[in-house]
Amino acid sequence: MEENNKNVDIVIVGAGISGLATALALHRMGIQSLVLESSDSLRAAGIAFTTWTNAWRSLDALGIAHSLRQQHDLLLGINTLSTVTGYLTSYVSFTTKGKNGDNHEVRCVKRKVLLEALAKELPNDTIRYSSKVVSIEESQFRKLVHLSDGSVLNAKVLIGCDGVNSVVAKWLGFKNPSLVGRSAIRGCAYYDHGHGFEPKFQLHVGNGVRYGIIPCDDSAVYWFLTWYPSSEDYKMLKEGEQVKLKQFVLSKLGNVSDKIKGVIEDTRIEEIVQSSLGYRPPYEILAGNISNDNVCVAGDAFHPMTPDLGQGGCCALEDGVVLAKCLGSAFLGTPAHSADRGSEDGSNYTRIKDALDDYAKKRRWRAFDLISTGYILGFLQECNWFGMQFLREKLLSSFLASFYLKKADFDPTKLVLKNQSD
């Protein structure tokens, strides 16, 4: 058992994408942190997610992009098709340059592989498992983080990366995410001898559903279905039978090819998950405390969003890099000794508060934009009102698909790390 009360410079709650990215970004700058994870190992829930250009810029900054590129195929573009007619309504190429002159880069990355890559680069004692936060207290210029095992961490900085039900976000005054009345079913099919799909994102829209398949590599294909459940759907989903989930997805696909349907049929039932979709209302992002004193939030604790833009994990990686750069200005170059300990803590506290305020300022409008755009995009793609199918397929398909690249084209100069102590 560790000592009951331990001083720690930076405590990060949650070993998900944002928590590990923040810890690794700080480590690359020569700053130590402690990551608290409530489970006894890394959690790989989520299967896979699309990593857009902004995510790869963040992964380059973190120094792990090369190994991930070797394990995941580069995607060439996105085909949008109608589930009503089966026809292609638009194609947007990913082999274009962004507004900053850099090439776009899009791949589908397995969540487990990403988390392991982030954790592998951290010092061995960075992640503390089976460490659940039960309460947070003020203590002059620090925060007392009480854990379920009775130990207490005395932190200069507290960062909440603990997901949609974040303890830290609640302490800052945020409410739980709001449900949007939609649900998602996700899965991954594996093929020992290759799946035979082109390296393209296939998106099928119509009849009130969004269905997508995205190859991760030669052997794995990730897929998702989002829709507005009826009362009967809710009853079926509540039963939670995996076999019924597979049958339900197949019943919702509409006019798609047998090869596309085959991805669902080839998915093992243990690889299928279902969840309700929620988000943090944009007005809460504008009005809420992203940071307060020496506490802040990142990732899903900060900006839970619907998956329609595929930016939840990508934005979490951005958060980690930007937050570490802001904190670097507070920690690097700080005097190691002071005759007056209280004065030193007060000076550090002011620098930390200013750094976290700067982080909140940099990330507030970015999160607001992604949450709002994703919500509207999902609504328009799943809306089944009279006339919407015609507008979506004849006029809006390319326009809506273009937002994937537009929102991924985040300024690369903001995603560069430098060890200022060098």
Side-chain angles (χ1 to χ4, degrees), residues 258-363:
D258 290 341
K259 186 176 181 180
I260 296 294
K261 290 181 179 178
V263 174
I264 308 301
E265 294 168 343
D266 295 336
T267 303
R268 297 189 297 269
I269 58 173
E270 61 269 22
E271 297 287 345
I272 300 175
V273 297
Q274 180 272 328
S275 61
S276 297
L277 299 182
Y279 76 142
R280 193 171 304 290
Y283 66 85
E284 289 189 12
I285 294 293
L286 294 184
N289 289 323
I290 301 168
S291 71
N292 187 21
D293 296 334
N294 52 351
V295 181
C296 74
V297 283
D300 281 346
F302 167 20
H303 46 63
M305 61 184 74
T306 59
D308 307 291
L309 271 176
Q311 278 291 338
C314 301
C315 191
L317 289 168
E318 282 184 19
D319 289 343
V321 175
V322 175
L323 177 53
K325 290 179 68 174
C326 292
L327 281 174
S329 64
F331 276 87
L332 299 177
T334 300
H337 303 286
S338 173
D340 185 343
R341 180 70 184 181
S343 174
E344 178 195 346
D345 275 357
S347 177
N348 288 347
Y349 173 84
T350 300
R351 284 193 293 268
I352 289 167
K353 181 182 182 302
D354 290 345
L356 296 186
D357 286 345
D358 185 36
Y359 160 76
K361 181 180 179 181
K362 285 180 166 68
R363 301 304 293 165

Side-chain angles (χ1 to χ4, degrees), residues 18-72:
S18 60
L20 295 181
T22 303
L24 182 54
L26 289 167
H27 174 63
R28 296 296 190 215
M29 298 184 72
I31 302 171
Q32 293 183 339
S33 64
L34 176 66
V35 180
L36 304 177
E37 172 53 46
S38 60
S39 63
D40 58 4
S41 62
L42 289 178
R43 291 179 289 179
I47 305 176
F49 71 102
T50 313
T51 50
W52 299 89
T53 308
N54 54 320
W56 288 105
R57 289 170 179 166
S58 302
L59 293 169
D60 277 324
L62 295 171
I64 61 170
H66 179 68
S67 65
L68 292 171
R69 287 186 176 107
Q70 292 180 319
Q71 300 176 72
H72 302 90

Side-chain angles (χ1 to χ4, degrees), residues 86-272:
Y87 296 148
L88 180 73
T89 59
S90 70
Y91 174 71
V92 174
S93 173
F94 294 159
T95 59
T96 58
K97 292 184 181 295
K99 61 185 178 183
N100 295 290
D102 295 345
N103 291 328
H104 280 289
E105 181 176 6
V106 188
R107 302 170 195 264
C108 188
V109 171
K110 299 172 187 174
R111 180 181 171 88
K112 183 173 185 288
V113 174
L114 173 61
L115 292 180
E116 289 175 346
L118 290 166
K120 182 180 178 182
E121 295 296 311
L122 291 170
N124 291 332
D125 58 350
T126 301
I127 307 174
R128 177 174 164 179
Y129 294 104
S130 301
S131 299
K132 182 179 180 180
V133 175
V134 294
S135 65
I136 302 165
E137 272 188 274
E138 299 271 6
S139 179
Q140 293 185 327
F141 300 116
R142 292 174 176 254
K143 294 295 179 287
L144 299 180
V145 183
H146 295 261
L147 306 182
S148 58
D149 64 0
S151 61
V152 181
L153 299 176
N154 195 349
K156 285 184 180 179
V157 183
L158 177 61
I159 304 171
C161 299
D162 43 341
V164 295
N165 297 312
S166 168
V167 173
V168 180
K170 290 178 182 176
W171 189 88
L172 286 171
F174 280 118
K175 300 177 182 177
N176 286 333
S178 300
L179 295 178
V180 297
R182 299 166 57 207
S183 288
I185 301 176
R186 303 176 176 92
C188 195
Y190 296 92
Y191 299 85
D192 293 337
H193 303 291
H195 49 68
F197 284 101
E198 287 185 291
K200 292 181 180 178
F201 186 158
Q202 304 278 351
L203 179 64
H204 301 259
V205 178
N207 288 329
V209 304
R210 295 173 69 252
Y211 168 59
I213 67 165
I214 316 172
C216 296
D217 51 34
D218 290 339
S219 63
V221 179
Y222 170 68
W223 59 264
F224 64 85
L225 175 84
T226 63
W227 83 109
Y228 286 94
S230 64
S231 56
E232 292 183 359
D233 293 343
Y234 275 118
K235 182 178 179 181
M236 185 280 299
L237 295 172
K238 190 174 181 180
E239 294 174 359
E241 294 184 18
Q242 299 297 93
V243 174
K244 287 187 177 181
L245 287 178
K246 178 184 283 194
Q247 294 171 345
F248 178 81
V249 173
L250 289 170
S251 73
K252 285 284 186 180
L253 295 188
N255 193 352
V256 302
S257 70
D258 290 341
K259 186 176 181 180
I260 296 294
K261 290 181 179 178
V263 174
I264 308 301
E265 294 168 343
D266 295 336
T267 303
R268 297 189 297 269
I269 58 173
E270 61 269 22
E271 297 287 345
I272 300 175

